Amino acid sequence: MRILDLILAAVGVAALYGGYLLFSQPGTATNVAEALPQRLPVVEVALVERADVEASVNQTALLKASSEVPVTTELAGRVIWINERFQLGQRLQRGERIFELDATRLETDVIRAEADISAAEAERERLEKELTRISTLAERNISSQAALATTTANLAAAEAQLKQRNAALLSAELAQRQATITAPFDAVVAQETLSLGQFLQPGTEVGRLVAADEAELLVRLNAEQLYAVEQGEDLIGRRVTVTATDGSGVQKPGVISRIALTNEAATQTTGVLVTVSQPFDTRGGVFRINSLFDVSIPLPGNSDRLLSVPVAAVQTGDRIWGVVDGALTQIPAVLDRRAGDRMILRSGSVEVGMVVVTTRLPNAIEGLKVRVSSEGAQAALGESADQ
């Protein structure tokens, strides 16, 4: 056994010495490392395609009513009639009655004011005749100048009183009209809290109306976006597309109606007002006030080339990685917007047919070697590829 142990020990020493000689030669370690199989990241890829959409700048904005007013009364009174269309979402025409208050007392005031006017007119007529008579007598020195002056003063007072009575009648008639509340414009009922028989105090709000013919969105554009959509052309009157963000797909045209002359100090953006006509028209879907919408402003002449990639191709930091000669390379591109499962790209160095990585690579760096999966290559290039 001792002889066998000595033989095995000698073999081991020889092996160690041989290894030392091998790895002590210049470049040997590098050659061995290169000979070892490398484990490259396997990635899925897709091709850059041309996007079938219009070049535009897109922003999200809140839809507001172009006009909104509270439904109130300037009088105190009890509600005796309510329009059956004064309900949430219903339409009212300009001048249409909304509700009425009990106007019995107001009608009495009008009748009393009319009677007071009749009495004042009669008194004025009497004094006019009296003045004529006294003037004639004064000319004959039968009546004194004092009587003439008194009658003249009484007639002036009667005329002043008649004016006051006419003013009182106008006030009574106005109050009577105020007992009937009407719509100030073509409107949609946005809120209502009115009940028959309810007693209202002046200023009590019982609902809100919004203009039915128009709604507005204030879109804020930064300097780059504003330059892109203007390009020397007038923005006023430019048609835009407004789309609901709730996934319903409801879409309506809009028009740029005004542009702010100064920037918002906090955000350094310029306000662009977009007007949407007939937002509550049920054809094609109804827009809802105080909801978010995507506003797409087309670029002049549709000059930019728009391309698209799968959403998965947009990596951390909005980066897009391509594969060239088996290595990662970053592709400069400006993201325009998302359209379903595709991301629209605007400008940059991206070209149709470029291969982009759709596998998430949190540690991607320029030049990193990767291996494209056979399935990914087939799907992207339309042919089999064994990497």
Side-chain angles (χ1 to χ4, degrees):
M1 290 295 293
R2 287 183 59 85
I3 296 175
L4 181 59
D5 291 340
L6 290 173
I7 293 174
L8 291 175
V11 172
V13 171
L16 289 174
Y17 180 69
Y20 167 76
L21 293 177
L22 174 64
F23 286 98
S24 63
Q25 299 299 318
T28 303
T30 302
N31 294 336
V32 173
E34 289 179 352
L36 295 176
Q38 298 183 22
R39 298 182 60 84
L40 301 179
V42 179
V43 296
E44 300 288 341
V45 295
L47 292 181
V48 175
E49 300 176 1
R50 191 170 301 283
D52 187 21
V53 294
E54 186 178 44
S56 61
V57 167
N58 298 271
Q59 282 286 42
T60 300
L62 196 67
L63 186 72
K64 292 287 187 180
S66 59
S67 297
E68 182 173 357
V69 295
V71 180
T72 63
T73 174
E74 298 182 31
L75 303 174
R78 194 171 303 280
V79 179
I80 61 171
W81 179 83
I82 302 175
N83 190 330
E84 62 181 8
R85 283 191 295 279
F86 186 52
Q87 298 181 27
L88 192 64
Q90 293 293 315
R91 288 175 175 263
L92 297 172
Q93 300 298 315
R94 178 179 180 180
E96 185 174 354
R97 293 183 303 161
I98 300 175
F99 68 92
E100 292 183 358
L101 300 176
D102 184 359
T104 303
R105 177 182 59 81
L106 302 175
E107 292 170 357
T108 302
D109 291 343
V110 171
I111 294 172
R112 183 182 296 111
E114 290 173 340
D116 290 342
I117 288 174
S118 296
E121 288 176 339
E123 178 63 11
R124 182 187 63 177
E125 185 177 353
R126 185 189 70 79
L127 288 171
E128 286 175 342
K129 291 179 180 179
E130 179 67 11
L131 181 62
T132 301
R133 186 183 70 81
I134 292 178
S135 297
T136 302
L137 293 175
E139 290 175 355
R140 298 175 183 176
N141 293 322
I142 298 176
S143 177
S144 65
Q145 290 298 317
L148 179 61
T150 300
T151 304
T152 301
N154 289 340
L155 178 59
E159 288 177 340
Q161 186 179 47
L162 179 59
K163 289 181 179 180
Q164 290 178 345
R165 297 292 169 81
N166 278 318
L169 176 60
L170 290 176
S171 179
E173 290 175 338
L174 176 61
Q176 187 180 30
R177 289 195 299 270
Q178 288 176 336
T180 300
I181 312 303
T182 61
F185 44 71
D186 291 348
V188 172
V189 181
Q191 180 182 343
E192 62 86 16
T193 58
L194 187 63
S195 301
L196 196 63
Q198 182 178 351
F199 190 87
L200 302 180
Q201 295 292 342
T204 302
E205 184 174 322
V206 295
R208 298 192 74 83
L209 302 179
V210 298
D213 57 346
E214 287 184 348
E216 298 173 341
L217 303 104
L218 183 60
V219 181
R220 297 203 170 276
L221 303 179
N222 60 34
E224 179 185 354
Q225 293 170 327
L226 188 62
Y227 174 78
V229 297
E230 282 186 323
Q231 294 187 27
E233 296 188 16
D234 193 0
L235 271 181
I236 303 298
R238 180 88 57 87
R239 293 181 65 83
V240 304
T241 301
V242 182
T243 307
T245 60
D246 58 5
S248 64
V250 176
Q251 190 175 88
K252 292 182 185 292
V255 176
I256 296 177
S257 54
R258 293 198 299 274
I259 302 175
L261 297 180
T262 57
N263 280 353
E264 175 68 28
T267 60
Q268 285 299 297
T269 56
T270 300
V272 175
L273 193 69
V274 172
T275 300
V276 178
S277 298
Q278 302 301 325
F280 309 112
D281 191 335
T282 56
R283 289 174 296 182
V286 176
F287 275 13
R288 287 176 171 77
I289 298 298
N290 296 326
S291 297
L292 286 174
F293 290 83
D294 284 329
V295 180
S296 178
I297 305 175
L299 301 183
N302 197 16
S303 57
D304 272 12
R305 297 175 306 120
L306 291 185
L307 305 174
S308 75
V309 296
V311 171
V314 181
Q315 305 279 344
T316 304
D318 289 343
R319 294 175 177 172
I320 296 176
W321 293 97
V323 179
V324 177
D325 296 331
L328 293 184
T329 182
Q330 188 173 342
I331 301 176
V334 177
L335 304 186
D336 186 86
R337 63 188 181 276
R338 180 169 177 166
D341 61 352
R342 306 286 294 183
M343 181 63 71
I344 308 301
L345 308 179
R346 177 163 49 90
S347 71
S349 302
V350 64
E351 298 286 348
V352 173
M354 279 186 171
V355 177
V356 293
V357 176
T358 58
T359 302
R360 187 62 55 189
L361 295 173
N363 300 317
I365 58 173
E366 187 75 24
L368 177 67
K369 291 291 186 177
V370 295
R371 183 167 63 87
V372 177
S373 72
S374 299
E375 294 79 5
Q378 249 184 334
L381 307 176
E383 59 185 14
S384 61
D386 297 322
Q387 302 276 330

